[in-house]
Amino acid sequence: MEKRVGVGFLALALLLTIVPMAVAVRLFDIEEERRYLLANELGITPPMGWNSWNHFNCKIDEKVIKQTADALVATGLAKLGYEYVNIDDCWAEINRDENGTLVAKKSTFPSGLKALADYVHSKGLKLGIYSDAGYFTCSKTMPGSLGHEEKDAKTFASWGIDYLKYDNCYNDGSRPTKRYPVMTQALMKAGRPIFFSLCEWGDMHPALWGFKVGNSWRTTNDIADTWDSMISRADMNEVYAQFARPGGWNDPDMLEVGNGGMTKDEYIVHFSIWAISKAPLLIGCDLRNATKETLEIISNKEVIAVNQDALGVQAKKVRSEGDQEIWAGPLSGYRVALLLVNRGPWRYSVTANWDDIGLPSGTVVEARDLWEHKTLEKRFVGNLSATMDSHACKMYVLKPIS
């Protein structure tokens, strides 16, 4: 009896020692993770703004950036949440200065990036910039940040930069999982919250590790202004839906709406998929000359609201039959976002059944058509059908009413 009591006390003593240690280690892990991942407290919803690359490529200067900031305000897009004005590649001189600091290209950004940031901030907007986890950026016209991460992060912060797109060209051959966290740590020590956009083109499945490193991560190669390019990026991005969450988003690349390579219906599909996928909404056209049609698409408040919904759950392609697709995802307030897409060459009808989109079969719903801006008179039970032209879509928010 005494021996058994001794063993019992020994087991209890070990338990009292091990459990607190395990709890302490886990609490430490949680605190480290929280500090590490949420230090900048950015990207609680997907970022919205504009990026220079899709339309201008390297043909940018401070005049274009200022005029774009002005256009975001004048068109009312800024009030809708489009807040970032992001300069992509080709903004710096090929050589750093004598102190190893990046230098804005004198011929195109003569006032410097600090003055430009001040101008953008004066409009109530934020300025983004571009660098690379390699020795040069992808254009090879300016240095990358590999080996200069801390210096560059402090420089960006001193200029008032709010967003960093970080590319993957001309690197040393090491894995992105090694190079990108170096810039993460540098940004955390820079003294200014900077949204960190990873752009390693989905090579090493950054959705699996990106949340510990940045606020968004590219899941695809660069987009082009064609239907096939756009829809293939949507497909590649959808695979990683489960990894998107507030603070970290899958990025299928920037918007092509307004650049002229697709039809109006195709651009509506493009914007709808990006919105329901909780992708960054970064306009890629020349906003200074945007058409009424383009502005109507990118300023659809109801579609933007799906993208910016507080629940932060990326929709998935819940059913696909040939060229007919059903995308759906939950929204706050027990609602469901529903997107029906006809990818085929002919007019076609698509039916979404409740069991495919996560609603109990007997649920009665009210359907709001987000592109027609009207609540349908009919109440739906069990399913909803719509007929669409080729390369077109219908987008709804479904609200259970009984």
Side-chain angles (χ1 to χ4, degrees), residues 102-147:
L102 289 166
V103 179
K105 200 169 184 179
K106 293 179 176 60
S107 61
T108 51
F109 293 89
S111 302
L113 270 296
K114 175 66 169 66
L116 186 56
D118 289 345
Y119 182 87
V120 171
H121 292 158
S122 75
K123 300 292 179 178
L125 302 170
K126 298 177 180 180
L127 186 67
I129 210 164
Y130 168 97
S131 190
D132 189 285
Y135 299 116
F136 296 95
T137 62
C138 293
S139 68
K140 214 174 182 180
T141 63
M142 57 174 277
S145 293
L146 185 63

Side-chain angles (χ1 to χ4, degrees), residues 63-352:
K63 182 179 178 182
V64 168
I65 304 305
K66 287 182 176 181
Q67 290 177 342
T68 298
D70 294 342
L72 281 170
V73 175
T75 57
L77 290 168
K79 288 185 178 179
L80 296 179
Y82 292 98
E83 61 178 349
Y84 289 105
V85 182
N86 293 345
I87 306 168
D88 211 281
D89 204 349
C90 312
W91 60 267
E93 296 286 358
I94 188 64
N95 295 312
R96 295 171 179 268
D97 69 12
E98 63 275 9
N99 298 314
T101 304
L102 289 166
V103 179
K105 200 169 184 179
K106 293 179 176 60
S107 61
T108 51
F109 293 89
S111 302
L113 270 296
K114 175 66 169 66
L116 186 56
D118 289 345
Y119 182 87
V120 171
H121 292 158
S122 75
K123 300 292 179 178
L125 302 170
K126 298 177 180 180
L127 186 67
I129 210 164
Y130 168 97
S131 190
D132 189 285
Y135 299 116
F136 296 95
T137 62
C138 293
S139 68
K140 214 174 182 180
T141 63
M142 57 174 277
S145 293
L146 185 63
H148 300 268
E149 291 88 354
E150 195 161 320
K151 178 77 171 180
D152 291 353
K154 288 181 178 178
T155 299
F156 298 151
S158 71
W159 288 343
I161 297 299
D162 304 292
Y163 185 115
L164 173 63
K165 176 182 173 183
Y166 205 46
D167 224 326
N168 195 33
C169 291
Y170 301 108
N171 59 69
D172 61 1
S174 63
R175 293 173 177 243
T177 48
K178 176 182 177 183
R179 286 176 285 113
Y180 278 76
V182 180
M183 180 56 84
T184 304
Q185 293 291 343
L187 291 172
M188 289 175 64
K189 294 187 287 186
R192 180 182 181 83
I194 297 176
F195 186 103
F196 191 24
S197 170
L198 316 181
C199 184
E200 60 90 85
W201 324 310
D203 281 1
M204 289 196 66
H205 307 286
L208 305 181
W209 50 269
F211 192 76
K212 294 182 178 181
V213 181
N215 300 110
S216 68
W217 43 85
R218 274 278 292 280
T219 54
T220 71
N221 286 321
D222 287 2
I223 195 172
D225 188 20
T226 67
W227 169 262
D228 287 341
S229 175
M230 179 276 292
I231 208 72
S232 67
R233 271 54 182 177
D235 290 341
M236 288 185 274
N237 187 68
E238 188 268 344
V239 173
Y240 302 105
Q242 70 191 83
F243 299 104
R245 68 190 100 165
W249 307 102
N250 293 315
D251 177 9
D253 206 3
M254 296 151 315
L255 293 166
E256 291 282 7
V257 181
N259 281 327
M262 288 182 260
T263 67
K264 178 182 179 180
D265 281 347
E266 289 172 342
Y267 279 140
I268 287 174
V269 172
H270 179 16
F271 194 72
S272 299
I273 293 178
W274 262 237
I276 203 169
S277 299
K278 302 298 189 289
L281 296 182
L282 298 175
I283 301 163
C285 67
D286 184 356
L287 271 180
R288 304 170 304 170
N289 301 299
T291 65
K292 179 182 178 182
E293 182 178 281
T294 294
L295 291 173
E296 285 177 352
I297 294 171
I298 60 178
S299 64
N300 187 321
K301 295 180 181 179
E302 296 187 79
V303 176
I304 291 171
V306 169
N307 179 262
Q308 297 290 298
D309 184 73
L311 195 61
V313 177
Q314 179 176 331
K316 290 185 67 66
K317 198 185 302 183
V318 296
R319 181 176 286 273
S320 179
E321 296 181 1
D323 291 320
Q324 320 315 317
E325 294 181 348
I326 302 167
W327 297 63
L331 298 173
S332 57
Y334 304 103
R335 299 168 301 146
V336 174
L338 174 66
L339 179 65
L340 309 180
V341 180
N342 178 10
R343 292 171 63 152
W346 317 110
R347 185 172 171 82
Y348 206 88
S349 178
V350 180
T351 298

